[in-house]
Amino acid sequence: MRRGFKAFAVLTALSLLTAAPVGASSSSPLRELTAKQEWLQKLEQAQPRQGKKDVRPLSIKKLPVEMKQALDRLTAVLPELAGLSVEEAAILEGEDGEADRWEYWLTNSEDEEAGYISAHVTLNAETGTLTSYRIANEHWISRKPPSDELAIRKASQFLENVAGKDPAQYRAEVVPTDEDEDAYEYEPSDDRAYVHFDRLLHNIPVRGFSISVSVDEEGHVIRYHEESSLEIDESSVPEPTDVLSARKAKEAYTRLLGMHLVYNRYEPLEDDHDDDDEGDKVKTKPVLKYVPLYEGPMDASTGEIPDDIFYWKEQEPKTIALSPKGKKLTARSQKAAETLLKQEFGFDMDSMELEEQDVYGESPERWKLYVWHTKKDVRPSATLYLRVNASSGAFRSFSYYITDTDKTAKPISKKKALGIATATLEKYLPSSNKEVQLTESYPSDEYPHIPPWVEDDDLETDGETEEYEFAFHPLYQGVPIENDSYFLTIDARTGKVVGFFMNTDSKKVTLPANKGTVSPQKAADAYLKHRPLELVYIWPQYDGQRAPKPLLVYVPQDNPYGYIDAFTGKVVERDKAE
């Protein structure tokens, strides 16, 4: 049987028409429903179980009345669905503060004279309003997109009459296919128009609340998709006052950008593309460029990073002087690999047994992966991975995962963990690298990991630090090389190195000298000329919770670019790959 569209993360599937008998086995048990509606609880209780958390699909002959009534109301305003039957339906649990959803797959009969029609519909389970829609009708032949006027008119009518939205609260424009991000999920085509609706609040766009609508040549709406089904209470957000002018906003954002120099051995000069049969590769060159430290939202009134989104800020890079020993790690056999892990990183390989080994990739990036697991009588169980170059045996990475740790042990400090990481790195760093830059660390020192409006009791994690993670880059003429990186993970309770990744390049690539570069100010000017600041609302969220209300901020416009040349201070665009 044909399927119009793919299913998403279904929590409870309701098989209709072609349903298997009640109690039929399910190849993939589904999670228990958490919805509290009485009818959902009854539905949940009626389902056969395999365990406390496992629920199998329920085979029924008809939809629950609430789902049927919601679909009937939609069909009354969307006659394209009339005559279609529900082939499958599903209840999906809400994510990131969103409501639960009802999902339907509909088809007509596969009578050749009638022509095949299929549709996929998603409704907000709390309000019954439409959140997404897609239809395929063999009778609708579209050879080119409609005019912009027709596309916007038909999309706006659908927005008002079917989705129940007020078009006056949105700004509509027809956008190219490559700007309609959601279109990629559905194989974008040049035989339709993509209408993008920006949700407005006090005539200012709200990020994350846009709607996209696809319209064919004859004006049929063939796709509708909401970024978010949440409603914004406009009365809770007063009209903005004391907003920074465009000039002052640019000055403030220049400071936040933190433009700094970075080397790249292989900066792409064209958009990425799949290698063809003749082995064409993306063209690259070694460059010295400026990159920003921060590209996130800026409070539109204060010119600072908002308190509610401190966790978006990256930490300031820190230069660390080392005395590298330049020890090389190699393992050309299983025995050599086990010796390396035992002698260099202190793992008890006698308690583990090789589970698998595999070779993958293409030369020179061809890798051999070893996987060990603790023996059956060893507790706690753990898995250890090691990756080396398949030809030379040169070390690339290892990672260690354990199922249970001693929660009673007090975590070591981040300072001590950093000392362990740098001491480990010092052993294996090439002797020519006297300095490295610490570019990332987790948890962050500078900013709260959890926004102040988050209710801690509702978080899924207990907030305890289990691991510390550090990222380092070697320096060349005082500038970090972004292609060369070292990542270390330290167990917070034992102080043991449980992860080490070395991304280094053995090829000799001549990097440009760090002389005659433009100022960070000029680089920032080029950045903001290419990506001007835009005044928008955002509604921060974290771990399924949202801030009390939307926040007015300045953000750079979404204009992609290649890189900012450190010697000219100009934006270098990438060529379009053919």
Side-chain angles (χ1 to χ4, degrees), residues 506-521:
S506 59
K507 297 179 182 177
K508 292 184 178 180
V509 177
T510 302
L511 295 171
N514 182 16
K515 295 180 180 180
T517 58
V518 300
S519 67
Q521 176 67 52

Side-chain angles (χ1 to χ4, degrees), residues 148-149 151-153 155-156 170-176 179-180 193-198 205 210-214 534:
D148 288 1
E149 185 277 330
I152 290 177
R153 176 160 53 86
S156 298
Y170 292 83
R171 181 179 62 195
E173 66 174 329
V174 175
V175 299
E179 291 185 16
D180 187 5
Y194 297 95
V195 184
H196 184 85
F197 290 91
D198 274 322
S210 65
I211 293 173
S212 56
V213 181
S214 301
E534 180 182 11

Side-chain angles (χ1 to χ4, degrees), residues 4-57:
F5 317 101
K6 294 182 179 179
F8 294 92
V10 178
L11 295 186
T12 299
L14 310 174
S15 302
L16 300 138
L17 305 181
T18 56
V22 173
S25 63
S26 169
S27 58
S28 56
L30 302 167
R31 279 200 295 144
E32 193 169 22
L33 279 172
T34 59
K36 296 181 180 180
Q37 293 95 325
E38 183 179 354
W39 70 272
L40 281 180
Q41 293 175 350
K42 290 179 180 178
L43 182 65
E44 175 192 1
Q45 293 163 5
Q47 299 179 69
R49 299 171 179 273
Q50 292 180 327
K52 184 177 180 181
K53 291 293 184 181
D54 297 328
V55 178
R56 294 182 180 180

Side-chain angles (χ1 to χ4, degrees), residues 1 7 26 74-75 95 106 129 133 178 184 259 269 275 290 356-357 367 379 399 477 516 529 542 550 559:
M1 178 179 290
S26 169
L74 177 65
T75 304
E95 297 177 354
L106 306 99
T129 54
Y133 161 75
D178 59 358
Y184 283 110
M259 301 298 286
L269 301 182
D275 299 336
Y290 270 104
E356 64 175 294
Q357 54 181 309
W367 307 104
R379 291 292 181 272
S399 53
Q477 296 186 358
K529 181 179 179 180
Y542 182 83
N559 298 329

